[in-house]
Amino acid sequence: MLKKFILTTALLFSVLNFPVYAQSSSNLEKLDNISDKALEMAKLKRYDDSEKMLTFFSDQFIKKTAIEQILDMDELRIITVAHNEALMTIKDSSKGDSEKINSVTKFRLVMDAVKSTHQPLWTEMEDQMMNSFRQTKDAATIQDAITFNDQLNLFLSQYEMIYPSLKVDLSRETIQQLDTRIQYMDQYRPEVIRKGGNQKEMEDLQDELTAVFEEMGEDDSDPSLWWVIISTGSIIIMTLSYVGWRKYKGDREKPTKERND
């Protein structure tokens, strides 16, 4: 009986494949930490050190992804593009401090989006972006072209920074809908201002942006991870219960055996 129980437990652990999940999570954590270090160096204007960290990331990225498939093809492409852009910008002496920091920030946010299952870092830009958008909308309403263009440019730069991360976390349909509305506002600026911002269009975009940030702020932890935790916990409880029952049964049988002796 005990042997069968142990065998069943071992099989359950094998099926759950918990070590593989843990290893994948560990590899992503290491890559994410490297991207964080690269950003720290960029913020300190230690661009040579930031470049070294980005180069080190590239080496580790190739090794980790070659060992096991921890990312899907879309994630691989998005990370590669963001990383190459950050590395090229950080090496370019003609780029200013803000450009370099923004490019590495964009890459850092992508890595966090891939690693995180709850409240990725890019959601922390909600207040900045929504404030920029509200001021853009207000300027359009009163047909203030100068303020409108300034605030829209700021909003677009913020949107561009989190855009690769959005591609990781949001559906293609949601991305396309956001892109369509934002591109219209950018390409037809004079018409938007002339119409006083076309309030319905801008309110719809504001609602969509709010919904995106609220959705990513909710608990969207990977159900498979919860299944691993619950299942593993159940196995431990079952094992302890069985051992306890065997001990209890042995204690009950011991006095009877002593009396017979």
Side-chain angles (χ1 to χ4, degrees):
M1 177 69 180
L2 181 57
K3 289 182 179 180
K4 288 183 178 180
F5 183 83
I6 293 173
L7 178 60
T8 303
T9 302
L11 287 172
L12 282 170
F13 270 113
S14 176
V15 171
L16 290 171
N17 209 14
F18 181 76
V20 173
Y21 180 90
Q23 181 65 29
S24 299
S25 177
S26 175
N27 286 334
L28 283 176
E29 187 75 33
K30 290 174 183 176
L31 293 172
D32 185 57
N33 288 338
I34 297 171
S35 72
D36 186 46
K37 291 293 184 183
L39 179 58
E40 286 182 17
M41 295 299 101
K43 286 180 176 179
L44 294 172
K45 298 183 182 181
R46 292 167 54 180
Y47 300 127
D48 288 342
D49 290 332
S50 183
E51 179 185 341
K52 289 176 183 176
M53 294 307 299
L54 290 170
T55 302
F56 179 59
F57 176 92
S58 181
D59 295 337
Q60 292 299 303
F61 185 69
I62 293 172
K63 290 178 182 177
K64 302 300 183 186
T65 54
I67 294 172
E68 59 175 320
Q69 189 175 351
I70 59 177
L71 303 167
D72 60 36
M73 292 304 297
D74 286 338
E75 291 171 335
L76 283 169
R77 185 181 68 255
I78 293 168
I79 291 173
T80 301
V81 171
H83 173 267
N84 289 342
E85 179 184 334
L87 186 57
M88 289 176 62
T89 304
I90 211 75
K91 292 168 65 175
D92 191 343
S93 59
S94 67
K95 300 293 184 182
D97 293 334
S98 61
E99 289 179 280
K100 291 184 177 183
I101 293 172
N102 287 347
S103 66
V104 182
T105 299
K106 184 191 296 187
F107 167 62
R108 170 75 183 95
L109 294 177
V110 167
M111 277 310 306
D112 178 79
V114 171
K115 186 208 70 169
S116 299
T117 57
H118 179 54
Q119 292 183 325
L121 281 176
W122 64 263
T123 59
E124 294 182 7
M125 292 189 64
E126 177 180 7
D127 290 342
Q128 299 175 48
M129 290 188 64
M130 296 309 296
N131 182 58
S132 298
F133 183 79
R134 279 191 292 269
Q135 293 191 49
T136 302
K137 188 174 74 168
D138 291 344
T141 301
I142 62 175
Q143 298 182 331
D144 181 350
I146 295 177
T147 303
F148 173 83
N149 285 311
D150 287 344
Q151 290 301 318
L152 180 56
N153 288 339
L154 177 58
F155 170 76
L156 291 175
S157 67
Q158 293 166 341
Y159 182 70
E160 181 187 3
M161 186 179 297
I162 69 170
Y163 187 69
S165 302
L166 296 182
K167 291 166 69 176
V168 171
D169 286 328
L170 304 183
S171 66
R172 291 184 181 180
E173 292 76 14
T174 301
I175 291 290
Q176 289 173 355
Q177 193 162 327
L178 283 173
D179 282 350
T180 299
R181 295 188 187 278
I182 291 173
Q183 286 173 12
Y184 171 81
M185 191 166 57
D186 183 27
Q187 293 175 6
Y188 299 96
R189 296 186 184 211
E191 185 176 349
V192 172
I193 296 172
R194 182 174 58 81
K195 290 182 178 181
N198 193 340
Q199 290 300 304
K200 186 178 185 311
E201 282 292 324
M202 299 194 79
E203 286 175 4
D204 287 344
L205 176 54
Q206 185 172 349
D207 290 342
E208 288 177 15
L209 288 169
T210 300
V212 164
F213 282 112
E214 287 182 351
E215 178 185 350
M216 293 311 301
E218 295 173 355
D219 187 2
D220 59 343
S221 300
D222 186 355
S224 63
L225 174 57
W226 283 110
W227 170 247
V228 169
I229 294 171
I230 293 170
S231 300
T232 304
S234 299
I235 292 170
I236 294 171
I237 292 170
M238 288 169 61
T239 304
L240 293 175
S241 298
Y242 181 80
V243 172
W245 176 77
R246 292 287 294 180
K247 185 176 185 302
Y248 170 75
K249 185 179 178 183
D251 291 342
R252 287 285 304 273
E253 292 176 348
K254 190 173 181 181
T256 304
K257 187 174 181 181
E258 291 175 350
R259 285 197 299 269
N260 292 336
D261 293 342

